Every structure is written in structure tokens, then in C-alpha cells.
Amino acid sequence: MISREQLRIQKLHSLGLLDSEPEDFFDTITRVASVILDTPISLISLVDEHRQWFKSKHGIDAAETARDISFCTHAVESDEQLIVENALNDARFAQNPLVVNTPNIRFYAGIPIRSLDGYALGTLCVIDNEPKTPTAKELAALKDLAHLATRELQFRERMLEAKRSIQSSESKFKTLFENAAIGISMIKPNGSWLEVNEELCRIVGYSKQALSTLTFQDITFHEDLSTDLNLLDQLVAGKLDRYQLEKRYVKQSGEPVWVELTVTKQLTANGELDYFVAIVKDIQSAKETEAALALLRKTLEEKVSQRTAELKQANKSMLAAYQEKIASEQLLQNAELELRTILDNANDAYVCMDADGVVKAWNKQAEHIFGWADEEAIGRKLDKLIIPNELQQAHQAGMRRFALEKQSDMMGKRIELEGMRKDGVRIPIELQVNVLEINEQILFTSFLRDITDRKQLESLLKNEARNDPLTGLPNRRKLEEILPVAVQRARANQTMLSILFVDLDGFKLINDTYGHNVGDMLLREVANRIDKSTRQSDTVARYAGDEFIIVLEGVSQVADTNRIAEKILHAISEPLHFNQITLNITVSIGIACYGSESSKETQPAELIRQADKAMYTAKRNGKNGVFMVETG
């Protein structure tokens, strides 16, 4: 069994702070701690398995010490603050090398710094070579500073967890998209294919490359196109949230194939149409089954009618009449057997119940979806099998209403709702209910399908398209989600927020001279350099074309923002080598700051507008520079 100390060490290593470069945030904390407690030394110490390593240090040159002589180890192991007013009078430390020799520690005060799950990973401590008794205010200030360090460490821990979650979600979505057993596509407003999966290619008989040169109009069966386009126009106009229809595509071989098509639309942040999402299900076999059933019914009706006429005309003898009756009954039994075979092998669950809601028929697909065997289901009421508790009263009321009125708005329509499996798990289902009256007996027949995969795909498709495919950075849509939250956080915490609007100087000339491939490689390299020049807590997004926006949260002062901007200028100005091409490029940066003195009415879009305006001022000032405006 893994011990708590082993878990603590694992947590420390997972944050990637050990042996990392100094950071202004932590250095500021140690400097302030030395000033407040009037000590020559202050440290942010992380206690590893065999050493304590200093993430930040003030007043000392050493980067680490052995763990067994570390004062901070005592604070971490005791999981509480440690105050030593005079080490010479403390039996634990009187002979410690750090007390006997340099730095001759006498006074020590250390506060644990913790992870999200409460592990003490290290301390914020202050050290003096003279005995000292700290005041209550000094200790309170030290605890506040340790709390700031803890919050920063826990913020980074959350960011790492979020990054792992996003990477996992993206991987799952890609796998689900490519391996889905249903056709999925993203379609441009003009009808051309933006993305298609392998199942869609199989359904329509085209390769991805072949589809990329066509539109959905090109492969839609001519007689079905006008209906599809009419529904699409209503979707674009906002009259429909989605539409569904059965239509035919024409395969590359020239053969038609029936599909069930569900179409939704995706909008840009400005409310403009971005692309359509189409879910395509191959229903060719279902259509063939329907045609076979229709032909079978027609054949049965014709044969029964024919036999009835023959019996009336040939009622010359009881034996002949009896033989004709036996033949007709056998024909009906065979037809029922054939119909039962078709229903048992249908892709959808088939359920039939009487006017009291008692199940009369339950096919194999119903067993597969809901987990009830036919011998368990037949003879029981449907609401006790697959209808959740909170929907049972509505189901029973609908049955009673139909018994009185002999009509219902639900009959013959596709309906989406929740069903419940035998094991209690709820699943989204789609069903269509029809009513039959045979010998004055009411029967309800319904086809049901499990649409869990479709719902998951719809959810994933709504949440995709948040990252720029060229640079891997958050795109404009994601920025517009992140920025309002950052502004609200800065307002609530009364901290400063900075927006850097970065625009490449002369990018169009490079693009025109060397082509889009070089331009794309340049944009990826610039994105990489900007990302490396910023902090882990900062957000770097590709805004549009050769424009990037950086959101800096928790900036202590304006000088820190300028320092990051200058770091970006320096990083971009380094020559870029692509194959045998060397490019020298610069950027112009506009900065807008939002601070505690800023107006509460300041909106995220206004911050971007101010930063954009400042960027153009930087360009007019000769490019390759920074211009800042302060947002009031």
C-alpha cells in the first residue's frame, strides 16, 4: 500500500516545479516576507525525498540543502507551522550544521504550502541569524503570503488537470468521430463537405478525396433535393432548431441509397452561420424491409380476399369449404411467422401493447436495448418495464385520454424521450407509436431505437471547434468564452488583468512571396514562441489571421506586463529558418489593462478594442514596438 509520504512526493513531482526557473510571482512573495518580518533570508522550499529545493530564495545563494538537516522538513512532516525563536535553545536544532555553521540560523518561522488534496509540499519560511520573537501581525502576514503561494500552486495543479482532461476529451472525440457506426459530416454553408467520417464514405460509396470535390446537392437524389433544401432554408432562417428526413443519396456507382438525415447548424460567436452538422444513418435495409412488409400485407389482403370469394362461390360441399379454411389458416400462420421473423431481425426494438398498456409483442432488439427477455416482458405493463417513475403518470394519463378521445398528437410522430433499462440505467430513445384497431380491439405498435451514440455525438460536435487547427492554440470562439470569466475574476479579486494584442509586421508580404505553406509554418512558429514567452497561467489565443491575443491574469504591476511584452518582442525577432529560407520578422503589440480602479462597466470586447487600437498606434510609431493604454 502506498504511504501518505509517497503520495505527497508523487504529487510534488507531478507539478513540474522542482528544478524549474525562478518566477517573479514567487520571488515577490519571498521579498515581501523578508521585508515584513525584517529577516535577511526568506525561502519558498519544496521538500523532496532526499533534499529541500528552493523554488524562490532571498538572501541566500544555495539552491538546495539535504532534507535531514532541513528545518522545513519538520514543518512538512508535522503538517503545521513551525516557529523556532532561538535554535540554540531547541534540542532538535542546537547541533544542526545550519545552526553551528553558515548561515548560523537562530530564528526560523515556516508555514506549510499545500496541494489541493492537502499534502504539505513545502513551506514559505523566514530565517534570521539573531534570535527573534515574531508578533501576531507578522505571523498573520506570513500566513497570508503562504496562502498566496498555496493558491498559485493549486491553480497550476487545476490547470494541469484541466489540460489532461481536454486532451482526453479531444482524443475520445476523434476516435468516436472516425469509428462511429453512423455517418457524420460537417458541411459548409455552400453545401461542400468540410469533414466526413469513414462510415459516411461507406454509405455513399465515395472516398473522402472524391467527396471533397462535390457538394451534398451533387449526390442527393434529384426528386429529394427540393425537400432537403426547403428544410435547410428554414434551419438557416431560425424557423427550425434542427430537421430530420428520410432521403436518398446517389452512390458513386449510380445506385440510390436511403438514409435518415438529421441536420443542425453551428454559429460563430457573432451569430453568423459557421457550418452544418449532419448525422446520416443507412436505412436502406429498413426501407427494403418496409417494402417487403407492404408487399406482404398487400399479398395477404389479396389472397384472403380471393379465398373469401372462392369460398362463397365454391360452397358446394362442407369438405371443400373445410379444406379451403385449413389452407387459408395455414397461409395466415406462415405470413405471421414471416412477419415475426422480420420483426425479430429488425434494427429497431418493436413493442406492441393493448389498450391497458400490457405488452403483447417484444422482439429481440427490444431485449437487447432494455435487457428484458420476451418471456419477462410479455404480459406486464409497459410503464413498469421501460418508463422512468416520473413519466409513468403522464404515460397512464395519455392512455386514458386516448381511450376517451380515440386520438393523440403523439401518434405517428417520431418522439425523443428517456427510457429505462432493466438494470435501472436511463438511456435516450426515439420512438414512433401507431394505433391499430382489430376486431374492435385497440393495439399500440411502436418502433424504438437507442440514440445514446447520436446524442453523445451531437454533444461532442457542439463542443468541438474551440481550438485553432493550425497552431493548436485556443481560437477566437474559445477566447470569447475565457475572457469574460477572467474579467469577472479580476473584478472579484481586485487584481489587474492585461490584454496583449499581437500583430505580425509584414506577414502579407511573406505570405505572397513564399506561399501559404511558409506562411503557415511561420504562424505556427510565432505561436510557439509567444507561448514559451508567457506564463503557464496566461492564455494565448489565435484571434484572426496573423493576430494573436494574450490574456495575463494576476499581474502585480504594469511593469510585469511590459516585461512580458518585451520578452515576446525579443523572441519573435530571432531569425526564423524554414528549409533554406531565413525570415526576419517583428510584431507590434498593443496593451490594454483592467485594474481594480477600472470601471465595472468595462466589457471584454472593449478591452480587445482598446488593445487593438493600441496595436495600431504601435505600428504607426514604427512597428516592432509596444504601446499601452489604460482602460478606465
Side-chain angles (χ1 to χ4, degrees):
M1 184 174 180
I2 300 176
S3 68
R4 180 174 175 82
E5 175 60 11
Q6 289 174 315
L7 292 172
R8 188 191 72 82
I9 294 295
Q10 289 178 5
K11 176 63 68 176
L12 175 60
H13 282 272
S14 70
L15 294 178
L17 288 175
L18 289 171
D19 301 306
S20 61
E21 293 296 321
E23 294 181 50
D24 287 341
F25 178 84
F26 295 111
D27 290 343
T28 300
I29 290 176
T30 53
R31 288 196 302 270
V32 172
S34 280
V35 172
I36 292 176
L37 279 89
D38 191 23
T39 60
I41 298 173
S42 62
L43 305 168
I44 292 180
S45 172
L46 301 177
V47 179
D48 198 355
E49 186 176 3
H50 300 295
R51 60 170 180 162
Q52 67 165 348
W53 179 80
F54 306 136
K55 173 60 182 172
S56 177
K57 55 187 178 179
H58 177 77
I60 191 171
D61 293 327
E64 63 185 49
T65 66
R67 173 171 172 163
D68 58 356
I69 63 171
S70 164
F71 281 52
C72 295
T73 299
H74 289 266
V76 169
E77 290 176 349
S78 67
D79 204 28
E80 59 186 18
Q81 72 178 29
L82 175 64
I83 309 298
V84 179
E85 296 182 359
N86 189 342
L88 292 176
N89 296 334
D90 192 320
R92 294 172 296 175
F93 305 109
Q95 300 302 318
N96 190 296
L98 300 176
V99 175
V100 176
N101 302 313
T102 304
N104 303 116
I105 297 175
R106 296 297 180 268
F107 167 73
Y108 170 91
I111 308 296
I113 298 173
R114 304 180 188 279
S115 65
L116 284 171
D117 41 14
Y119 293 114
L121 304 181
T123 68
L124 169 64
C125 66
V126 291
I127 297 171
D128 202 338
N129 55 12
E130 296 291 335
K132 181 179 178 67
T133 301
T135 66
K137 288 185 177 180
E138 288 174 334
L139 285 179
L142 188 62
K143 289 179 181 179
D144 288 341
L145 291 172
H147 178 67
L148 288 177
T150 293
R151 284 185 56 186
E152 177 65 15
L153 185 146
Q154 292 177 355
F155 172 77
R156 297 184 183 198
E157 189 177 352
R158 290 190 183 95
M159 291 295 291
L160 286 172
E161 291 174 356
K163 183 177 180 181
R164 296 189 192 104
S165 177
I166 290 170
Q167 290 173 343
S168 175
S169 296
E170 290 175 345
S171 176
K172 288 178 182 176
F173 168 74
K174 184 176 180 181
T175 301
L176 186 59
F177 180 87
E178 287 301 332
N179 299 315
I182 195 167
I184 309 171
S185 66
M186 289 175 276
I187 303 171
K188 297 178 182 178
N190 65 359
S192 60
W193 306 91
L194 185 63
E195 288 284 348
V196 296
N197 72 346
E198 292 295 339
E199 178 63 10
L200 180 62
C201 291
R202 185 200 65 76
I203 291 172
V204 300
Y206 284 88
S207 66
K208 289 186 178 182
Q209 183 177 3
L211 279 179
S212 68
T213 64
L214 301 172
T215 65
F216 81 86
Q217 296 95 325
D218 294 333
I219 67 169
T220 296
F221 195 82
H222 177 71
E223 294 178 6
D224 300 340
L225 184 58
S226 61
T227 300
D228 197 355
L229 292 177
N230 180 48
L231 290 170
L232 192 68
D233 289 340
Q234 294 183 57
L235 180 65
V236 172
K239 296 179 181 179
L240 297 173
D241 293 327
R242 67 180 62 222
Y243 72 86
Q244 187 178 70
L245 81 157
E246 294 180 352
K247 61 176 277 188
R248 287 163 288 182
Y249 284 125
V250 179
K251 301 172 74 171
Q252 193 170 29
S253 63
E255 299 174 356
V257 57
W258 277 100
V259 301
E260 180 184 270
L261 177 69
T262 303
V263 181
T264 59
K265 64 183 177 181
Q266 293 294 314
L267 305 178
T268 66
N270 296 328
E272 297 175 353
L273 178 61
D274 195 357
Y275 58 87
F276 301 106
V277 176
I279 306 296
V280 181
K281 182 179 180 181
D282 185 353
I283 59 169
Q284 182 66 29
S285 61
K287 280 292 184 181
E288 292 171 355
T289 301
E290 289 178 7
L293 285 171
L295 179 60
L296 177 61
R297 293 190 190 99
K298 183 178 179 181
T299 301
L300 287 173
E301 290 171 358
E302 290 174 350
K303 288 185 177 182
V304 170
S305 177
Q306 179 183 356
R307 292 299 184 192
T308 301
E310 289 174 355
L311 285 172
K312 289 180 180 179
Q313 295 174 5
N315 193 17
K316 295 178 180 180
S317 69
M318 290 297 294
L319 180 59
Y322 179 74
Q323 290 175 340
E324 290 292 337
K325 179 181 178 183
I326 293 299
S328 296
E329 288 178 351
Q330 185 63 49
L331 181 63
L332 286 172
Q333 288 175 2
N334 292 341
E336 289 176 356
L337 178 60
E338 184 175 355
L339 181 60
R340 178 64 184 180
T341 301
I342 292 172
L343 289 175
D344 274 345
N345 291 279
N347 291 328
D348 293 341
Y350 173 76
V351 178
C352 178
M353 62 182 179
D354 63 16
D356 296 323
V358 176
V359 175
K360 297 298 183 182
W362 185 270
N363 72 349
K364 292 181 179 178
Q365 190 64 11
E367 292 183 3
H368 174 71
I369 292 176
F370 298 106
W372 297 96
D374 60 349
E375 61 268 19
E376 294 177 302
I378 294 175
R380 297 182 63 181
K381 287 196 172 184
L382 186 68
D383 57 356
K384 302 301 182 183
L385 294 172
I386 68 172
I387 299 177
N389 293 336
E390 69 272 14
L391 299 180
Q392 290 181 8
Q393 289 187 354
H395 167 76
Q396 293 163 2
M399 297 284 289
R400 290 193 297 269
R401 186 164 55 251
F402 186 86
L404 294 173
E405 302 174 1
K406 301 299 181 183
Q407 62 180 4
S408 171
D409 293 337
M410 295 178 62
M411 295 300 166
K413 297 181 179 178
R414 292 184 184 275
I415 304 166
E416 292 185 8
L417 44 76
E418 269 198 343
M420 186 168 64
R421 299 194 323 217
K422 182 179 180 180
D423 58 9
V425 175
R426 298 187 179 212
I427 57 172
I429 59 173
E430 180 184 80
L431 72 138
Q432 181 172 337
V433 181
N434 293 290
V435 63
L436 295 175
E437 186 170 351
I438 301 176
N439 297 328
E440 298 183 353
Q441 180 183 5
I442 299 296
L443 292 175
F444 298 97
T445 65
S446 60
F447 285 91
L448 308 91
R449 66 183 58 170
D450 182 352
I451 57 173
T452 300
D453 290 343
R454 191 174 82 196
K455 288 295 185 182
Q456 290 175 345
L457 285 172
E458 289 174 359
S459 176
L460 286 172
L461 289 171
K462 287 179 182 178
N463 291 320
E464 63 92 32
R466 292 295 186 273
N467 288 328
D468 174 43
L470 178 64
T471 64
L473 295 175
N475 62 12
R476 186 170 186 162
R477 183 179 293 112
K478 190 168 184 179
L479 175 68
E480 289 170 350
E481 296 172 355
I482 292 171
L483 187 53
V485 177
V487 171
Q488 185 179 8
R489 191 158 44 234
R491 185 178 298 153
N493 296 334
Q494 293 188 336
T495 57
M496 191 167 74
L497 172 75
S498 298
I499 303 297
L500 276 64
F501 198 113
V502 181
D503 182 88
L504 275 65
D505 299 328
F507 176 73
K508 184 178 184 302
L509 177 60
I510 292 174
N511 221 20
D512 293 343
T513 302
Y514 298 103
H516 292 292
N517 287 338
V518 172
D520 288 348
M521 286 191 290
L522 173 61
L523 288 173
R524 283 194 293 268
E525 178 61 21
V526 167
N528 183 50
R529 292 187 181 189
I530 292 175
D531 191 49
K532 288 183 177 178
S533 300
T534 55
R535 306 168 302 173
Q536 290 185 355
S537 59
D538 300 333
T539 298
V540 181
R542 185 183 179 195
Y543 193 62
D546 60 343
E547 297 174 342
F548 298 84
I549 285 183
I550 306 164
V551 181
L552 306 181
E553 292 191 65
V555 181
S556 301
Q557 52 190 345
V558 172
D560 293 336
T561 300
N562 281 327
R563 183 164 51 256
I564 292 173
E566 293 294 338
K567 187 176 181 182
I568 292 171
L569 284 178
H570 177 74
I572 300 299
S573 66
E574 291 294 326
L576 284 76
H577 303 287
F578 297 128
N579 297 329
Q580 296 179 351
I581 301 171
T582 298
L583 300 175
N584 292 287
I585 192 166
T586 61
V587 294
S588 297
I589 302 177
I591 302 175
C593 295
Y594 178 87
S596 58
E597 70 282 357
S598 301
S599 169
K600 291 184 178 180
E601 304 302 320
T602 301
Q603 298 298 315
E606 175 62 17
L607 288 173
I608 292 177
R609 190 189 70 78
Q610 290 286 348
D612 185 21
K613 183 177 178 181
M615 181 274 294
Y616 278 106
T617 301
K619 280 190 179 292
R620 287 194 297 271
N621 290 344
K623 302 181 180 179
N624 193 26
V626 179
F627 187 82
M628 176 183 290
V629 294
E630 186 171 347
T631 302

